[in-house]
Amino acid sequence: MSEAVYDVIAIGNAIVDVMAPCEDADIERLGLAKGGMTLVDTARAQELYDAMGPAREISGGSAANTLAGMAALGASCAFIGQVADDQLGEVFAHDIRAGGIAYATPVRADEPPTARCLIFVSPDGQRTMNTFLGASQFLPADALDDATIAAAKVLYLEGYLWDPEEPRRAMRRAIAAARNAGRKVAFTLSDAFVISRHGDDFRALIDEGQIDILFANEHELAALTGIEDFDAGLAALSPKVPTLVVTRSEKGAHAVSGGEHAHVPAEPIAKVVDTTGAGDLFAAGFLFGYVRGKPLAESLTLGAVCAAEVISHYGARPEADLKALVAARLG
């Protein structure tokens, strides 16, 4: 196996987050599913944007957020995701490259425009996401370079992007390229609604041994296994995946790898401001520990530290010095 150029290469939605605070009454008035993620069309996206208060725009997307956290910790990362040839596409490309992440996916000249996620943040910190996938759902398989994928220790795939057909084909090709090169494949389930549509695909990938590291939260674990009891669901799934990582919000996180079971509590935090990106940054910390060969419990702690940082402020990208936070926590 040749020496890796990147620690992680990720494929995911290339999205610009548009984020604004709101009241619970606004959630009800607009008919939104509080705390959930809903796909919207162009007209609904415009309606919700018009209803938002003053907003912040920042590059997002689940896998891209994870890479932003990893890069901040000192990892070498690359991203593959589709934007359109428009202003938001330029914003996304600039932001991700400014974070030290390699990004070379060619822009798409045709409609639809670059994806955006309209995020309403209620007073309790819950984020209600309304996603217009736009150009991101048209990532073609020929936008991938097999040699670049083979040059990363870990290929990280975003479950959200499994929904549209074209990027699903691209991710299947990427899995084959990574496995042919002897690299690891990590997959995040993203959301229970994705599992409701593609659970059979995910279970097949797991049964075929295509996934080395699987990230889920407790709700996604239940949706994938069909088992509501957490411990029973963990016991059912963990023998099928070399490394299984499951987060439980304030209850902490569990990981099972090679028969070893580790659990860490959630890191203490003064106030939860915005939960956007909590799972993404948890994955960043865990994967950083994984590629650096850290013990399972320490990798979980790295994830917990990164998640705690991102929920302490608005936005899904780290604002504090993650290296310093990790050093203070772990020495």
Side-chain angles (χ1 to χ4, degrees):
M1 188 187 304
S2 60
E3 186 174 348
V5 176
Y6 301 109
D7 290 309
V8 174
I9 187 167
I11 302 178
N13 282 309
I15 297 177
V16 176
D17 289 338
V18 182
M19 182 177 303
C22 72
E23 299 298 327
D24 286 332
D26 298 322
I27 299 289
E28 185 174 350
R29 175 175 56 84
L30 293 167
L32 304 177
K34 183 177 178 179
M37 199 289 283
T38 304
L39 296 177
V40 298
D41 59 16
T42 307
R44 178 64 165 164
Q46 188 61 51
E47 176 191 357
L48 294 177
Y49 183 76
D50 291 344
M52 295 182 100
R56 291 177 56 191
E57 294 181 354
I58 185 169
S59 296
S62 175
N65 293 338
T66 295
L67 292 190
M70 291 198 71
L73 288 168
S76 174
C77 303
F79 180 72
I80 299 168
Q82 188 67 64
V83 298
D85 187 9
D86 56 19
Q87 183 178 357
L88 285 183
E90 292 177 4
V91 168
F92 181 89
H94 172 270
D95 283 359
I96 199 163
R97 289 171 181 149
I101 299 164
Y103 177 59
T105 308
V107 299
R108 191 171 189 270
D110 301 326
E111 292 288 330
T114 296
R116 69 286 315 265
C117 184
L118 307 172
I119 304 174
F120 293 79
V121 185
S122 44
D124 60 359
Q126 282 291 311
R127 78 280 187 272
T128 300
M129 300 185 293
N130 303 271
T131 303
F132 170 63
L133 289 172
S136 68
Q137 60 189 329
F138 293 97
L139 174 72
D142 60 14
L144 275 59
D145 178 68
D146 290 355
T148 302
I149 291 168
K153 294 177 184 176
V154 176
L155 168 68
Y156 181 69
L157 303 174
E158 178 184 325
Y160 282 132
L161 199 57
W162 200 265
D163 209 46
E165 182 178 349
E166 199 164 7
R168 193 186 320 138
R169 287 199 298 268
M171 287 194 285
R172 287 192 183 278
R173 171 177 166 176
I175 290 171
R179 301 211 71 82
N180 288 340
R183 305 303 190 184
K184 300 298 185 182
V185 177
F187 195 97
T188 178
L189 291 171
S190 294
D191 197 285
F193 96 91
V194 180
I195 299 169
S196 70
R197 291 170 60 86
H198 301 289
D200 288 345
D201 274 358
F202 299 160
R203 285 182 282 269
L205 288 172
I206 291 166
D207 290 342
E208 293 163 6
Q210 301 294 311
I211 306 300
D212 299 291
I213 310 163
L214 183 67
F215 290 93
N217 64 31
E218 59 183 328
H219 306 295
E220 293 154 6
L221 175 68
L224 187 69
T225 61
I227 302 170
E228 289 298 325
D229 180 78
F230 176 77
D231 292 330
L234 196 69
L237 186 58
S238 58
K240 301 179 180 181
V241 186
T243 300
L244 174 63
V245 183
V246 185
T247 57
R248 304 187 75 188
S249 300
E250 71 279 0
K251 299 175 185 175
H254 296 253
V256 184
S257 182
E260 178 187 359
H261 187 166
H263 167 261
V264 299
E267 290 290 301
I269 180 172
K271 181 183 178 182
V272 175
V273 175
D274 169 27
T275 57
T276 308
D280 304 335
L281 268 293
F282 188 95
F286 184 90
L287 281 174
F288 182 79
Y290 180 91
V291 298
R292 292 292 187 268
K294 301 294 185 184
L296 196 62
E298 186 172 330
S299 294
L300 284 176
T301 299
L302 285 165
V305 169
C306 293
E309 189 283 332
V310 83
I311 65 175
S312 69
H313 57 76
Y314 285 113
R317 301 284 173 92
E319 293 183 355
D321 185 338
L322 291 185
K323 287 183 180 179
L325 290 175
V326 166
R329 177 65 174 80
L330 295 174

